[in-house]
Amino acid sequence: MARTTIKRRVKHAPLYLVISTAMLVACGSDDNSSSSSKTTDLPQLSAAEGVNYSGNCSSLLGTLSFENTSISSVTTVAAGELSVGDTSIGEHCLVSGTMNERTSDVDGKSYAIGFEMRLPKDWNGRFFYQANGGNDGSVVTATGSYGGAPYVNALSMGFAVISSDAGHSAGQEFGYDPQARLDYGYQAVGFLTPMAKSIIRQVYNKVPDRSYIGGCSNGGRHTLVAAKRYVDEYDGYLASAPGYRLPRATTARLGWAQAYASIDGTDPANLSTAFNATERLMVANAVLAQCDSLDGAEDGMVQDFQACQTTFNLQEDVPTCSSERDGTCLTQQQKDVISSIYEGVKTASGEAVYSPFPYDPAMGGGDSAFWQYQAAYWFESSSTAMIFTSPPVELQEFNPANFNTVEYALTTDLDDILAKTEATTDLYTESAMSFMTPPNPEDMSALKNRGAKIMVFHGINDQAFSVDDTAAWYESLEQGTGDTEQFARFYAVPGMGHCSGGQSTDQFDMLSSLVAWVEQGEAPESIVANARGSGNPVGVNADLPASWSADRSRPLCPYPKVARYNGSGDIEDAANFSCAE
């Protein structure tokens, strides 16, 4: 398959519980003849077989055991007591506990890896590791979520699911403890995985036939890291918006803050004054005017996002203010700063900090403003200063209340930060770019050769982590591993923001597709995605334009293909679009 180089110019049908290749639409191939292809030259993993657990959940307390693990409770969750959207979860056992309890020699605080496992009475023979987002720090409900807004999740499909806090409580100050850093980066997954499989064996009298891991944002990062560090433990990997270069992305956000603050008239405490909501919407409309028809349909969506980056030109396609800013133009200074942000922030020495970000017509709404203007102050400063640099900033009594996030974001030298993300000390013996990133991510040979599969999706309007960064990683697989389509698929989701939302069709079920690929050899070509309009059981997407139908559908296409209108038929229906380069 030809690779595309990223260039820059300076009525929904619920899928419910059935894993089936019927949900793969026929518009996936250029000739529309097939929606999936059989992979035959790599090992084919067998399908999982389920069993029932007829025992009493509470009787398991005191019998379940694993080294360095404390099981605090085992309870029964009745059918229907837990729901996701309008999907009721069946009866299951809830196991809660901790691993590796200890007291830090550095900050004197207590640490442990907290977790919960949900074990269905009607188990499908599969295990799902729910990799969570943000800085972790809490044990969220183990439903088996992984980003997007699917009708089903792993738990409702019958998977045994684990969720964890990755070894620390909420907040960034855990970064002063060297082991907590490593647990957050990758070791919590390494500790929890064999424990979870052992608990499953003790309950069902068999280990999982097939194991999967997935998550969004930092959870996507966890997933890509596991694909390298724990490749023998998992058969399927599902990563959404994988911030796999997270220390670099957080540093870039500080660069955004510094760039926005440099615009005349900007209030440093409110960076949105540099590029306000009216101006952002004006630019978004200019992007739409230039790029909407590139895929053959003027429908408020830009499918061919890479072509859009060479079609839209901020300097030429947006008016330059001749006097005061009034929402209909940008000053030349604004244009220069915004261009520098979207083209990729650079340090004073000229080093690219992170990836470029594409212009997208959804940039005017959704969660764009938060990532553009607030994230640098809310948590990127603290994360960078306390977790990702070695040594971390000196912090009185390890109390983040004593840390000025605005001052740090606006005054810290980016060259210095990048150097410290690569540095080690006698205490912090592994750098952030080591413990947070997958080693040699372009080489997935071990995953490929054992018959495992990886699927990745990323919103084009995600302004936390760039879809361009994920596309560059995916392209690198061809050189670093080869035969990429035999084991990996990447889907760029037009208009979608960070993990979900945006002016997008963000409701789809990739987990069923991944299972069908891993266990049946049915490689997904395209996947139907729906909008979440009025009446959606999972929740209405407030970012949807009023002109869209409530259940607009589109095919999500394997990169570098994009959905193109066939020239006739209802533009609200995915059946009238085909995937093509």
Side-chain angles (χ1 to χ4, degrees), residues 417-432:
I417 293 176
L418 289 186
K420 289 180 177 178
T421 64
E422 301 277 1
T424 61
T425 69
D426 290 342
L427 181 60
Y428 303 100
T429 58
E430 194 167 342
S431 74

Side-chain angles (χ1 to χ4, degrees), residues 300-463:
M301 301 179 75
V302 174
Q303 303 283 343
D304 197 345
F305 76 102
Q306 290 184 316
C308 182
Q309 307 317 302
T310 58
T311 300
F312 173 75
N313 186 309
L314 183 70
Q315 300 289 346
E316 298 176 1
D317 298 327
V318 173
T320 303
C321 297
S322 57
S323 55
E324 297 295 319
R325 291 165 52 182
D326 61 4
T328 65
C329 59
L330 296 178
T331 67
Q332 188 60 53
Q333 185 188 34
Q334 282 180 299
K335 286 185 175 183
D336 292 342
V337 167
I338 294 165
S339 293
S340 72
I341 288 171
Y342 277 84
E343 290 169 6
V345 170
K346 293 182 173 57
T347 67
S349 64
E351 179 182 356
V353 176
Y354 181 57
S355 172
F357 282 73
Y359 292 101
D360 185 88
M363 65 182 285
D367 59 4
S368 298
F370 172 78
W371 293 108
Q372 287 280 335
Y373 312 126
Q374 300 176 41
Y377 296 166
W378 279 41
F379 48 77
E380 308 288 39
S381 291
S382 299
S383 294
T384 302
M386 300 176 196
I387 307 171
F388 302 144
T389 53
S390 296
V393 297
E394 293 185 9
L395 186 63
Q396 183 181 2
E397 298 178 346
F398 304 104
N399 185 349
N402 298 318
F403 179 67
N404 189 323
T405 60
V406 174
E407 180 182 7
Y408 183 86
L410 297 183
T411 64
T412 303
D413 180 79
L414 301 185
D415 281 294
D416 181 60
I417 293 176
L418 289 186
K420 289 180 177 178
T421 64
E422 301 277 1
T424 61
T425 69
D426 290 342
L427 181 60
Y428 303 100
T429 58
E430 194 167 342
S431 74
M433 288 302 290
S434 173
F435 68 74
M436 288 297 290
T437 64
N440 302 315
E442 70 283 354
D443 182 4
M444 293 279 175
S445 300
L447 182 153
K448 168 189 168 183
N449 292 335
R450 65 177 297 268
K453 310 298 180 188
I454 183 167
M455 293 177 68
V456 180
F457 64 95
H458 202 142
I460 292 172
N461 192 51
D462 185 342
Q463 298 190 29

Side-chain angles (χ1 to χ4, degrees), residues 45-86:
L45 303 180
S46 60
E49 296 183 6
V51 299
N52 292 329
Y53 173 66
S54 58
N56 185 287
C57 296
S58 60
S59 68
L60 295 170
L61 185 62
T63 67
L64 301 178
S65 64
F66 193 80
E67 61 182 355
N68 300 319
T69 301
S70 174
I71 303 297
S72 58
S73 66
V74 185
T75 57
T76 299
V77 181
E81 186 175 331
L82 175 65
S83 297
V84 178
D86 66 349

Side-chain angles (χ1 to χ4, degrees), residues 193-207:
T193 298
M195 182 277 297
K197 291 184 177 182
S198 175
I199 296 297
I200 289 170
R201 178 187 56 77
Q202 294 172 61
V203 173
Y204 299 108
N205 294 317
K206 60 176 277 186
V207 296

